[in-house]
Amino acid sequence: MAKNIQAVRGMHDVLPEQTQSWQRVEKVFQQVLASYGYQEIRLPIVEKTELFNRSIGEVTDIVEKEMYTFDDRNGDSLTLRPEGTAGCLRAGIEHGLLHNQIQRLWYYGPMFRHERPQKGRYRQFYQLGVETYGMAGPDIDAEIIILGHRLWTQLGIRDKLELQLNTLGSKEERQHYREKLVVYFSKHIALLDDDSRRRLQTNPLRILDSKNPEVQALVEQAPTLMDSLGDESLQHFKGLTHLLDELGIDYKINCRLVRGLDYYGYTVFEWVTNDLGAQGTVCAGGRYDSLVEQLGARSSSAIGFAMGMERLMALVEMLGEASTAKRSIDVYMICVGDKTQAVGMVLAETLRTYLPTLKLQVHCGGGSFKSQFKKADKSGADIALIIGDDEVANDEVGVKSLRKKQDQNIMAQKEVGMYLQKALNITSSEG
Ligand code: ATP
Ligand code: MG
């Protein structure tokens, strides 16, 4: 026998038993985002490699080692998107959504990074992204934070997440801070790993983002950017914390928070949990005004966040609500006899038209009454409809509760719609 083909390492399937909770959570996204007036944008999964090189930064984990890059047949270098911010901004610029305009956008879909797979870290993973353009803040900064807060509240996981906040200041302030960092880390160069030593030359701020515990210990003692901020940056940051205070949102200021991408300035934040081990950041975002010009458009403001769906779902699943997930069907239709399949399928179509929310499965593949009834019972449905030769002859249908001890009923086919509507307490297309 041929060997089974398995999924690519780090790329996982979302199985039917999980999709119900995924869909429930996705619905919450849609409702909450709509309630703030955000609109969905759908973007390609593949972009020109140059887009990511130019935006994310050459000396970042993503661009250095995580991108799935390949040559198109005509030789163009393409990349599976490792994140959505760059593509969203590319689309915004390309379609004129930015110039002199305000946008509140969101997207949802798979991202690809060639990382070492482990719990909460995959090579294909889903992100919900929120991006806003044209607002200089800090009011919009507060809005996207409280929007996240509302998502966690609706999903019942607010207590599991802590908001960490920092500001990266202006480009000039970061430049000045960079010099301070170089002086500091150069003094302790013996304690730096190879990656960090290289970054000392190319992009010293990245050292603050190191996952190496020894480097992290050194980072703890490093000078902070907060200490060398000018008035404007401090005012922006104070404006944000003031709004969060007024809105009753708790936060912790974390001066080491720099984020793994180069395009951030001013506000950065992460929603972090202790419940997921090392992969504790569920949602992360920040302001990236300078990226707009960097991608060739007239200067504008931009701030957004991206949330990892797998990490979020791990938290949601801890609530143990999966077991109370709604059953997948309400009614199972059994058809035993020669002409019964056609009659049953026609009746099922009539019922689906009359009761748009009804979940009705028609048995396919024949078999005895006994074997079909067993399947009906196992399906989780509440009610079985039974079509046999007698029912076909008399335009009738058998109705049997699968959950209550009740005898089978026989009723006219044209009455069964109203019966199900009442029994299942659902609305009909006729209101
Ligand atoms: P990390 O520090 O964990 O590598 P990151 O800074 O690279 O995260 P972002 O690029 O900010 O992550 O992405 C936003 C969110 O997307 C993360 O907070 C996380 O929830 C999720 N995420 C990022 N990379 C992965 C991955 N490989 N697998 C699953 N989720 C991921
Ligand atoms: Mg990463």
Side-chain angles (χ1 to χ4, degrees):
M1 217 160 64
K3 222 175 124 199
N4 287 347
I5 298 172
Q6 300 196 321
V8 176
R9 192 166 127 80
M11 305 205 177
H12 61 97
D13 304 299
V14 183
L15 297 175
E17 61 189 38
Q18 302 166 293
T19 47
Q20 261 198 38
S21 8
W22 278 57
Q23 286 173 2
R24 186 178 68 80
V25 168
E26 287 157 7
K27 241 180 226 154
V28 171
F29 296 162
Q30 292 183 5
Q31 278 161 2
V32 169
L33 285 154
S35 78
Y36 286 79
Y38 284 61
Q39 289 181 297
E40 185 184 6
I41 183 164
R42 298 195 182 187
L43 303 158
I45 284 172
V46 179
E47 296 274 1
K48 291 186 180 148
T49 304
E50 189 194 355
L51 173 69
F52 303 114
N53 289 347
R54 245 164 80 181
S55 56
I56 296 171
E58 299 275 1
V59 195
T60 55
D61 279 348
I62 293 181
V63 170
E64 278 186 336
K65 53 191 182 199
E66 294 176 358
M67 293 206 303
Y68 279 93
T69 297
F70 58 95
D71 282 345
D72 200 356
R73 283 171 196 274
N74 63 3
D76 290 346
S77 180
L78 303 181
T79 294
L80 298 185
R81 61 180 185 192
E83 53 100 61
T85 300
C88 190
L89 189 52
R90 192 266 313 138
I93 294 170
E94 189 170 334
H95 302 287
L97 306 181
L98 258 80
H99 184 54
N100 278 337
Q101 290 192 63
I102 280 173
Q103 299 291 346
R104 289 176 164 88
L105 304 174
W106 66 273
Y107 52 81
Y108 175 73
M111 306 294 161
F112 303 83
R113 295 184 194 177
H114 196 274
E115 305 200 62
R116 195 169 66 79
Q118 50 197 294
K119 194 169 169 284
R121 194 175 289 287
Y122 307 97
R123 291 181 174 177
Q124 173 175 333
F125 58 97
Y126 282 75
Q127 276 186 344
L128 169 71
V130 165
E131 314 287 356
T132 72
Y133 305 133
M135 292 163 280
D139 41 9
I140 187 67
D141 305 20
E143 180 179 287
I144 67 166
I145 286 174
I146 195 158
L147 185 160
H149 184 269
R150 182 171 291 277
L151 282 175
W152 324 140
T153 307
Q154 296 267 310
L155 295 169
I157 55 167
R158 195 189 60 200
D159 295 348
K160 295 181 184 293
L161 289 165
E162 179 187 76
L163 173 63
Q164 298 194 356
L165 211 57
N166 192 19
T167 174
L168 299 180
S170 70
K171 211 170 162 185
E172 294 70 34
E173 287 159 349
R174 278 198 303 287
Q175 182 55 41
H176 182 65
Y177 177 57
R178 199 165 287 151
E179 287 156 19
K180 278 195 190 171
L181 274 184
V182 172
V183 172
Y184 170 79
F185 284 119
S186 301
K187 269 195 255 167
H188 302 279
I189 196 146
L191 296 169
L192 293 181
D193 56 19
D194 287 349
D195 256 0
S196 301
R197 271 181 213 185
R198 203 165 33 86
R199 287 177 175 181
L200 190 56
Q201 311 298 322
T202 51
N203 195 346
L205 248 79
R206 284 273 77 73
I207 302 175
L208 302 184
D209 204 36
S210 168
K211 305 261 187 329
N212 178 339
E214 279 170 43
V215 177
Q216 272 173 358
L218 204 56
V219 165
E220 280 304 315
Q221 306 300 318
T224 70
L225 177 57
M226 198 69 91
D227 290 335
S228 48
L229 285 184
D231 240 17
E232 204 188 319
S233 298
L234 279 175
Q235 282 313 321
H236 189 116
F237 195 61
K238 275 196 193 136
L240 171 60
T241 54
H242 169 71
L243 282 168
L244 293 179
D245 291 338
E246 291 290 313
L247 290 162
I249 309 276
D250 291 334
Y251 54 86
K252 196 173 121 189
I253 295 174
N254 173 0
C255 297
R256 319 283 160 199
L257 188 69
V258 288
R259 310 281 309 105
L261 307 98
D262 266 359
Y263 48 58
Y264 290 111
Y266 298 97
T267 307
V268 286
F269 63 91
E270 289 191 357
W271 292 94
V272 185
T273 181
N274 287 321
D275 292 350
L276 297 179
Q279 270 57 253
T281 304
V282 173
C283 175
R287 183 163 279 283
Y288 54 93
D289 300 345
S290 63
L291 184 58
V292 182
E293 275 176 285
Q294 214 170 301
L295 290 185
R298 232 174 287 184
S299 102
S300 178
S301 303
I303 181 166
F305 69 70
M307 188 223 62
M309 185 65 173
E310 287 76 6
R311 295 184 194 176
L312 181 82
M313 289 312 293
L315 282 187
V316 168
E317 274 154 24
M318 281 178 197
L319 300 174
E321 277 172 7
S323 51
T324 63
K326 279 194 68 176
R327 61 170 179 272
S328 54
I329 61 168
D330 307 311
V331 174
Y332 194 95
M333 185 179 282
I334 293 171
C335 308
V336 194
D338 270 356
K339 292 182 200 130
T340 59
Q341 195 72 20
V343 173
M345 288 177 87
V346 170
L347 176 60
E349 288 309 306
T350 310
L351 290 172
R352 290 187 186 110
T353 305
Y354 178 65
L355 301 170
T357 60
L358 173 70
K359 286 174 259 167
L360 162 63
Q361 204 162 76
V362 178
H363 179 86
C364 290
S368 68
F369 176 79
K370 200 174 151 198
S371 79
Q372 290 195 35
F373 197 81
K374 250 194 199 152
K375 294 214 167 75
D377 199 36
K378 245 181 98 179
S379 74
D382 243 7
I383 294 169
L385 297 182
I386 300 145
I387 309 267
D389 292 332
D390 288 350
E391 283 77 14
V392 170
N394 302 324
D395 288 332
E396 288 174 341
V397 56
V399 181
K400 171 100 178 95
S401 169
L402 293 164
R403 307 295 148 214
K404 292 182 218 143
K405 259 200 148 6
Q406 265 170 13
D407 286 341
Q408 181 179 320
N409 253 326
I410 301 282
M411 63 181 74
Q413 283 177 17
K414 60 179 189 311
E415 279 164 19
V416 73
M418 247 144 83
Y419 172 86
L420 292 177
Q421 180 184 357
K422 236 166 119 191
L424 298 166
N425 192 20
I426 50 182
T427 41
S428 78
S429 55
E430 290 160 20

